[in-house]
Amino acid sequence: MFRSAAPQPPASSDLVPSSSPAFDPPVHPLRSFDLPIQSSTRPVILPIQLPAATLRPLAFRAFTKKHNLTLTTSALQALAGFIGKYCGAGWREDGLADKVLDEVAKTWKRTCVGVMVEDSDGGALRTILQGLEGLMVAGRLTQSRNLSRQESFASAAEGTGSRASNDIRTRPGALRRDDSQVSFGLSGLEVRDQEEDEEDSLNLRKWLRVIGAFEQPRFSYNITKKHFEKITSKPSLMPGPTHKVNFFRQKYHMIHQRVMRNETFQNRSFATSGPPSLQRSVSLLASPQVAYKITPIANLLGRSGSAHMLLGLLTTSPAGNLTITDLTGSIALDIQYAKQEHEDAWFCPGMIVIVDGIYEEEVTAGSLGARSGVGGAIGGKFIGIEICGPPCEKRAASLGISTSSSHGDVVAGGGFGWVDFLGVGSERAIGSKMRRIQDNFFNSDSENAVSSRRRKIVIAGEVNLDKPKTLEGLKKLLGTYAARPDDEVPFAFVLMGNFVQYAVMAGGGSGGAIEYKEYFDSLASILNEYPTVLQSSTFIFIPGDNDPWASSFSAGAATAIPRKEVPELFTSRVKRAFTAANAEAEKSGGIKGTGEAIWATNPVRLSLFGPLQEIVCFRDDLSGRLRRNAVVFNKTESTEAGNNSSQQHLSQAPPGDEGMQTDRDPGTSSLDLGPEAIAVSENSKDIQIGHRLALSVLDQGHLSPFPLSVRPVLWDFANSLNLYPLPSTLVLMDAEAPQFCVTYEGCNVINPGKIVEGGRSRKAKWIEYDAASREGMLVERMF
């Protein structure tokens, strides 16, 4: 009765009752090891089906206006599907889609080359979207605290195969930067480590690429987006008539946007002293107080007696009168009292010019008719007072870049730096990388620096193989460099046509196909005498108008450009000479030679170190064609006074404005003439012709600023004739002009001239182009 009661087990919800009536529950119950069930607090977003057309305005504002990118239809559909799935119905009201689009655009510009955002299997866009899937919480884009932005995207891309790896809480936090770059496809840009660069930097010729006119990417300027778009349609040698209209339209759009980017035509927020003038520089100090304004021709109607400035194409009407035309209409141009802003330039029909003058309406009013008024001929005439070419733009200004240090750091700015005009990589994507590689070659302090002789490009023009004297001069050229060691031989030779004096296979004095092949066989015999040059150099052959097959039906007249290379039928013996020279090097030294012969188109572009150096080579007698078609202005006292002031203005260029300079004076080793020495060099007739030719061509931004009746052009391949952005060097082989080397707005213009002049001359002439200083020097040797 007085027995103590048994101890009671502690109250617990974890007690396990006994199944036997003879036993009580245990005093010390077993502890449960079950993990508590965690309820998910992550909000659920109901996906929606978002049409691509509905997302288009937001995508256009984020990609095109803010980041200068272009979306394809497939990429827009992929973005719409992603935003509809992970942002739900609040994609617009809550601003969820704006953040996602902005992040995708930033990542694309940081990791991809082009400005065209495309969606393809295994492409960069899908990789970016897969990386964003694990970062989407409640329709919003979040980031992990322990991971950087690129590393978090990389881990998400690596773990797309499992649900757990996409969760932020289960991702590793020790990703290297290299892994994140590979996940975004930076390996496709050939952005490699310094160790790999040192292995490739031993061969300078590895970084030289020859881009033919029919291989160059084609772009069109979109005036709405103010950007260049890549043309994906297949080109044709015989396109429809609408392609001809697009050819002139694109030519006008390209120059118009370049003029509008010039500071002379932009209103400034602050006033500057001095009268306005057409400055050919992008310097802020040269900005006028009042900006110029271009008036469309259609807007002249009803504004008789007012002064305007027009930008249009010089044309000749069926009646033989000079007219100026833009996209809105055309009007008769009276140049009786007009003067040239720059006397050094030629102006001929087919060029786009700027005319300042007064509109004078017709006295008798008549019916507009079907071809008059807006979109047709405007009644009356435009009295020109001053005429000049559109101001040129430096290459750095067009690409929107500037180097801030000797290491090649690129500072981003406005321009088209993300456009890959040549298919070798854009300036903004790989420019800094290429500059480091270039410094590794040309910096004298570098271990792998090449000699000053090795970095030269030899350029010879008018190599007529049917002239014995030319063959002797070519022997002298090759013999000059064959006596040097292998590490001092120029890494490239450019031989430009015409390779015969007269049109071949056209009944001329140069014979037919059999004779033409024999001429190249004789060239192969000469090349076999200098195997050391062939083993370590690249030979580039550029044809002229007298070379087949175009010469067989043109009879030496102007053929359609661009034109293809010399057919392989005639060049087999020359290629065999390079093969024999490379085999001989392997037998003697154990290392096979790497020399090669490249038969290029006309024109052709040489890319050295990607987008850093662009060398355009073109064979055409431009000076003679310009003189025959140029517009003649009346010489008055006011015109002469204006020309003198114009020359004085050119010679007194502001600091930083390169203007027109002479690269090297013939007979000197490396003399660089500044702006103060222009007046002295202009006394030379050769330099004066070089000035006029450079001004006339570079201001137009086109290799053929003529009507199609004077110089035919293949409409679908006219993109290869553009000079925008300005190339680093322009080689204009003009047999009717003397040899010269001048510089205009940072572009070196070189005319190698004939390798051997006519008559009794026993002198061989060619140009040595230094790839490091980007200057040309005339070389003369007696034979």
Side-chain angles (χ1 to χ4, degrees):
M1 178 177 179
F2 299 97
R3 187 176 58 185
S4 62
Q8 299 294 328
S12 174
S13 60
D14 296 335
L15 289 179
V16 180
S18 175
S19 60
S20 174
F23 298 95
D24 292 334
V27 178
H28 302 285
L30 298 176
R31 182 175 300 175
S32 175
F33 290 95
D34 294 338
L35 293 176
I37 300 176
Q38 298 180 358
S39 60
S40 177
T41 60
R42 184 172 180 176
V44 178
I45 296 295
L46 296 179
I48 64 173
Q49 187 175 1
L50 179 62
T54 307
L55 184 65
R56 188 183 301 274
L58 271 70
F60 175 77
R61 183 170 63 247
F63 280 81
T64 304
K65 287 190 174 182
K66 186 176 181 180
H67 296 283
N68 290 331
L69 296 175
T70 302
L71 272 175
T72 60
T73 304
S74 59
L76 182 62
Q77 293 176 353
L79 290 173
F82 180 85
I83 293 176
K85 180 179 180 181
Y86 291 98
C87 296
W91 65 275
R92 184 194 296 272
E93 289 77 6
D94 300 337
L96 305 179
D98 293 333
K99 297 181 180 180
V100 174
L101 293 174
D102 186 68
E103 186 65 29
V104 173
K106 289 180 180 179
T107 308
W108 181 276
K109 291 181 65 175
R110 185 171 57 249
T111 59
C112 300
V113 180
V115 297
M116 185 71 68
V117 181
E118 299 177 342
D119 180 34
S120 58
D121 295 337
L125 180 60
R126 294 195 177 185
T127 305
I128 295 174
L129 295 180
Q130 290 174 359
L132 291 176
E133 290 180 0
L135 302 179
M136 299 299 297
V137 177
R140 301 184 182 275
L141 185 63
T142 60
Q143 293 183 3
S144 175
R145 296 182 179 180
N146 299 328
L147 297 177
S148 64
R149 178 178 297 179
Q150 289 186 354
E151 292 171 351
S152 61
F153 287 171
S155 60
E158 291 174 356
T160 54
S162 61
R163 175 77 176 178
S165 60
N166 281 337
D167 193 354
I168 299 178
R169 297 170 297 178
T170 59
R171 290 180 190 158
L175 291 177
R176 299 188 306 272
R177 183 176 179 85
D178 296 339
D179 298 334
S180 62
Q181 290 179 350
V182 171
S183 67
F184 280 116
L186 279 182
S187 58
L189 301 178
E190 297 184 359
V191 180
R192 296 167 294 185
D193 295 334
Q194 184 67 24
E195 292 77 6
E196 298 181 4
D197 295 336
E198 294 177 355
E199 296 177 0
D200 296 336
S201 62
L202 301 177
N203 189 4
L204 177 60
R205 292 172 49 234
K206 173 182 173 56
W207 303 102
L208 176 66
R209 181 177 174 184
V210 181
I211 305 171
F214 299 92
E215 304 171 358
Q216 183 178 342
R218 300 183 301 135
F219 288 90
S220 64
Y221 184 76
N222 191 319
I223 58 175
T224 303
K225 301 178 180 179
K226 292 181 172 54
H227 202 79
F228 286 92
E229 296 179 343
K230 191 172 183 179
I231 303 176
T232 57
S233 61
K234 186 177 180 181
S236 174
L237 293 177
M238 301 181 65
T242 56
H243 293 241
K244 180 181 179 180
V245 178
N246 292 333
F247 162 65
F248 287 104
R249 190 184 300 273
Q250 285 298 320
K251 186 177 180 180
Y252 181 85
H253 284 328
M254 192 170 300
I255 293 183
H256 183 269
Q257 65 87 20
R258 192 186 74 190
V259 171
M260 293 296 101
R261 283 162 51 88
N262 190 277
E263 294 182 357
T264 313
F265 295 86
Q266 296 179 359
N267 292 321
R268 306 300 302 176
S269 58
F270 56 89
T272 57
S273 60
S277 61
L278 286 178
Q279 300 288 345
R280 296 175 179 270
S281 173
V282 294
S283 175
L284 290 174
L285 301 177
S287 301
Q289 182 176 359
V290 180
Y292 290 116
K293 182 179 179 180
I294 299 296
T295 303
I297 292 180
N299 292 3
L300 296 178
L301 289 173
R303 305 171 70 178
S304 178
S306 57
H308 302 276
M309 182 173 289
L310 306 181
L311 174 68
L313 179 72
L314 279 181
T315 57
T316 305
S317 65
N321 300 323
L322 193 64
T323 60
I324 183 170
T325 307
D326 65 3
L327 299 181
T328 63
S330 63
I331 187 173
L333 180 62
D334 186 0
I335 60 172
Q336 182 179 359
Y337 307 102
K339 68 175 183 179
Q340 293 179 257
E341 174 71 17
H342 298 278
E343 181 69 18
D344 289 336
W346 281 296
F347 296 103
C348 64
M351 289 186 173
I352 296 179
V353 296
I354 298 177
V355 183
D356 187 14
I358 300 174
Y359 171 59
E360 183 178 300
E361 200 170 7
E362 288 180 339
V363 179
T364 58
S367 176
L368 291 177
R371 300 181 59 184
S372 301
V374 178
I378 305 298
K381 63 180 179 179
F382 190 79
I383 303 175
I385 299 176
E386 194 170 5
I387 183 172
C388 69
C392 198
E393 187 178 68
K394 295 182 180 180
R395 180 178 178 87
S398 302
L399 298 178
I401 59 161
S402 61
T403 53
S404 60
S405 65
S406 59
H407 300 288
D409 298 332
V410 175
V411 179
F416 307 103
W418 286 106
V419 182
D420 186 6
F421 289 98
L422 299 181
V424 296
S426 64
E427 178 73 38
R428 296 273 292 276
I430 62 175
S432 300
K433 182 73 172 181
M434 292 295 105
R435 283 182 176 85
R436 290 193 294 268
I437 298 176
Q438 180 179 250
D439 293 341
N440 196 24
F441 279 104
F442 298 151
N443 192 354
S444 58
D445 298 333
S446 176
E447 298 179 356
N448 299 324
V450 297
S451 63
S452 58
R453 292 185 172 183
R454 177 61 177 171
R455 63 193 189 193
K456 299 290 183 64
I457 299 178
V458 176
I459 307 173
E462 201 66 13
V463 185
N464 299 142
L465 302 177
D466 55 344
K467 295 175 61 176
K469 191 179 293 186
T470 301
L471 297 179
E472 295 180 15
L474 188 59
K475 287 183 179 180
K476 186 63 180 180
L477 184 150
L478 296 174
T480 301
Y481 302 105
R484 299 180 181 179
D486 294 342
D487 57 349
E488 295 185 0
V489 177
F491 72 97
F493 289 79
V494 179
L495 302 182
M496 307 182 71
N498 297 303
F499 294 114
V500 288
Q501 298 182 68
Y502 309 102
V504 72
M505 294 181 292
S510 297
I514 298 178
E515 290 79 6
Y516 191 77
K517 189 177 188 312
E518 290 177 352
Y519 297 147
F520 277 99
D521 292 345
S522 61
L523 174 62
S525 301
I526 296 175
L527 295 176
N528 284 326
E529 300 177 7
Y530 307 97
T532 56
V533 179
L534 272 62
Q535 294 166 4
S536 57
S537 301
T538 299
F539 279 71
I540 303 170
F541 298 88
I542 303 174
D545 289 339
N546 293 341
D547 297 304
W549 298 109
S551 62
S552 60
F553 56 85
S554 66
T559 59
I561 53 176
R563 57 151 299 168
K564 290 186 174 293
E565 64 276 2
V566 176
E568 189 177 359
L569 170 67
F570 306 103
T571 62
S572 57
R573 189 71 63 87
V574 176
K575 293 183 179 180
R576 198 180 308 166
F578 280 85
T579 303
N582 294 333
E584 182 179 347
E586 185 177 11
K587 292 181 181 179
S588 59
I591 300 177
K592 187 176 181 179
T594 58
E596 60 177 341
I598 299 177
W599 304 91
T601 60
N602 184 30
V604 67
R605 297 175 189 259
L606 310 182
S607 172
L608 187 61
F609 300 110
L612 294 192
Q613 291 198 41
E614 178 185 351
I615 305 174
V616 179
C617 300
F618 184 46
R619 171 64 181 95
D620 191 21
D621 296 332
L622 286 174
S623 61
R625 190 173 292 109
L626 286 169
R627 284 192 294 265
R628 292 191 296 269
N629 297 275
V631 176
V632 179
F633 295 88
N634 294 331
K635 296 293 183 179
T636 61
E637 294 181 0
S638 60
T639 305
E640 294 176 359
N643 294 338
N644 294 334
S645 62
S646 175
Q647 292 179 2
Q648 183 180 4
H649 169 73
L650 178 62
S651 60
Q652 296 178 355
D657 184 10
E658 298 185 12
M660 182 69 68
Q661 300 179 6
T662 304
D663 281 356
R664 295 180 186 268
D665 191 12
T668 60
S669 58
S670 59
L671 180 60
D672 216 1
L673 302 179
E676 64 276 4
I678 292 179
V680 178
S681 62
E682 280 184 349
N683 295 330
S684 172
K685 185 178 180 180
D686 298 351
I687 299 299
Q688 214 170 24
I689 295 177
H691 286 177
R692 300 191 69 181
L693 191 57
L695 280 170
S696 304
V697 175
L698 295 185
D699 281 352
Q700 295 299 315
H702 203 269
L703 289 174
S704 180
F706 306 104
L708 296 181
S709 58
V710 176
R711 185 57 157 168
V713 174
L714 300 178
W715 306 332
D716 279 6
F717 298 96
N719 188 80
S720 61
L721 304 177
N722 292 334
L723 295 177
Y724 186 82
L726 279 184
S728 307
T729 303
L730 175 61
V731 181
L732 286 176
M733 173 50 217
D734 191 342
E736 299 180 5
Q739 292 176 316
F740 60 81
C741 300
V742 297
T743 301
Y744 177 55
E745 291 293 348
C747 177
N748 300 272
V749 184
I750 298 174
N751 179 27
K754 298 181 179 180
I755 185 174
V756 177
E757 297 289 344
R760 299 182 179 180
S761 176
R762 305 286 299 180
K763 184 186 298 183
K765 299 180 181 181
W766 62 88
I767 295 292
E768 278 188 356
Y769 175 77
D770 192 344
S773 62
R774 304 185 183 184
E775 296 177 349
M777 183 179 66
L778 174 63
V779 180
E780 298 180 353
R781 293 290 187 272
M782 299 297 298
F783 60 89

